């Protein structure tokens, strides 16, 4: 297996920029030299202070499908790319609950790819329907299987490795065979190992556990041994 991809989704945390900086610094130090690709996705406002980042990559949690213009409150893929971001999470179930549609996710993914930003597209329950729409006309996606019920803050429990394998097989019917597939939902240092493998996930999308430096470093270390 190629190096596992670990994406930290900080969501709307932490509340203060010093805390964000300290958390990123501790993580950076802790993962140095490991054979793994780690992408931190902090809230937009912390991105400039976390870049340039040496041992890890920085991504965003959303972007517009437009590159510039009269779109109040939006952040464009071009802006993120210009800052030095490499990835952008799209279609997270917490955004879908606020009204984001699959068509919007597809447009955002195309806009991200147009400027060389890698879209990490979250897929939840209706895999076939979601895959048909979000991956339309797109080749270079990273996919994350993350059913909303598995997310830790919704009282979730992680899916079983067997389910992950079945979903990965289903997703591969729609995408080129080398498309990375990630798993997200209640991933921690105790269970991360069980999701990784050539027929399972090639990486993980981590929420709550990525806000605790020690726990996250431990998780990355275990993933690096796969
Ligand atoms: P969790 O969140 O790891 O806290 O379950 C994952 C996510 O929502 O991306």
């Amino acid at each position: 297996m190629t190096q596992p991809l670990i994406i930290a989704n900080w969501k709307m945390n932490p509340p203060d920029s010093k805390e964000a900086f300290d958390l990123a610094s501790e993580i950076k130090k802790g993962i140095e030299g490991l054979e793994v690709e780690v992408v931190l996705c902090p809230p937009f406002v912390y991105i400039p202070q976390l870049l340039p980042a040496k041992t890890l990559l920085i991504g965003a949690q959303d972007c517009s499908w437009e590159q510039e213009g009269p779109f109040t409150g939006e952040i464009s893929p071009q802006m993120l790319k210009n800052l030095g971001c490499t990835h952008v999470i799209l279609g997270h179930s917490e955004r879908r609950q606020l009204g984001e549609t699959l068509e919007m996710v597809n447009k955002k993914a195309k806009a991200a790819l147009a400027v060389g930003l890698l879209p990490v597209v979250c897929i939840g329950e209706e895999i076939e329907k979601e895959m048909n729409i979000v991956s339309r006309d797109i080749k270079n996606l990273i996919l994350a299987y993350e059913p909303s019920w598995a997310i830790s803050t919704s009282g979730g429990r992680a899916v079983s490795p067997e389910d992950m394998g079945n979903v990965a097989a289903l997703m591969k019917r729609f995408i080129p065979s080398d498309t990375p597939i990630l798993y997200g939902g209640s991933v921690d240092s105790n269970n991360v190992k069980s999701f990784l493998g050539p027929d399972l996930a090639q990486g993980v999308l981590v929420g709550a556990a990525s806000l605790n430096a020690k726990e996250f470093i431990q998780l990355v270390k275990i993933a690096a041994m796969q």
Side-chain angles (χ1 to χ4, degrees):
M1 199 167 98
T2 51
Q3 287 193 354
L5 174 61
I6 315 290
I7 304 201
N9 178 11
W10 284 3
K11 308 191 180 185
M12 202 167 68
N13 301 292
D16 160 279
S17 66
K18 162 115 179 34
E19 242 181 278
F21 185 80
D22 290 348
L23 178 59
S25 305
E26 199 177 337
I27 291 172
K28 252 187 254 180
K29 233 187 289 153
I31 63 166
E32 233 164 273
L34 296 176
E35 302 274 306
V36 66
E37 198 167 49
V38 177
V39 187
L40 293 190
C41 298
F44 288 127
V45 290
Y46 301 145
I47 292 175
Q49 73 178 20
L50 301 189
L51 283 163
K54 273 204 194 106
T55 45
L56 40 77
L57 303 169
I58 302 293
Q61 299 170 19
D62 183 33
C63 68
S64 171
W65 59 76
E66 299 286 352
Q67 302 295 358
E68 61 177 316
F71 304 100
T72 303
E74 294 290 314
I75 304 283
S76 78
Q78 186 69 71
M79 291 171 187
L80 297 170
K81 179 70 183 172
N82 290 347
L83 275 178
C85 288
T86 52
H87 294 69
V88 59
I89 298 170
L90 295 175
H92 191 282
S93 58
E94 287 156 10
R95 296 204 57 78
R96 299 277 314 282
Q97 275 158 21
L98 295 174
E100 184 155 304
T101 65
L102 296 169
E103 294 290 346
M104 287 158 81
V105 177
N106 174 263
K107 274 165 74 174
K108 289 179 176 193
K110 284 186 204 158
L113 283 167
V115 297
L117 212 51
L118 281 169
V120 180
V121 174
C122 301
I123 299 289
E125 281 88 334
E126 295 177 279
I127 315 283
E128 298 194 31
K129 178 182 161 201
E130 289 169 292
M131 289 295 299
N132 271 323
I133 300 175
V134 300
S135 66
R136 196 194 312 131
D137 309 326
I138 299 183
K139 287 203 179 68
N140 301 319
L141 280 181
I142 296 172
L143 286 165
Y145 172 51
E146 186 171 87
S148 57
W149 48 262
I151 293 175
S152 64
T153 44
S154 62
R157 54 181 173 79
V159 308
S160 69
E162 192 188 351
D163 285 348
M164 182 62 233
N166 292 337
V167 169
L170 178 58
M171 283 177 163
K172 282 186 181 136
R173 302 220 304 255
F174 296 85
I175 47 174
S177 60
D178 56 351
T179 303
I181 294 176
L182 313 181
Y183 168 68
S186 302
V187 178
D188 59 27
S189 61
N190 292 317
N191 63 16
V192 62
K193 199 174 157 186
S194 67
F195 304 115
L196 299 173
D199 296 325
L200 299 171
Q202 288 75 61
V204 283
L205 179 55
V206 187
S210 70
L211 293 167
N212 175 327
K214 283 194 180 55
E215 165 65 6
F216 187 63
I217 291 164
Q218 179 64 10
L219 183 160
V220 174
K221 283 183 177 162
I222 292 169
M225 289 188 292
Q226 296 308 297

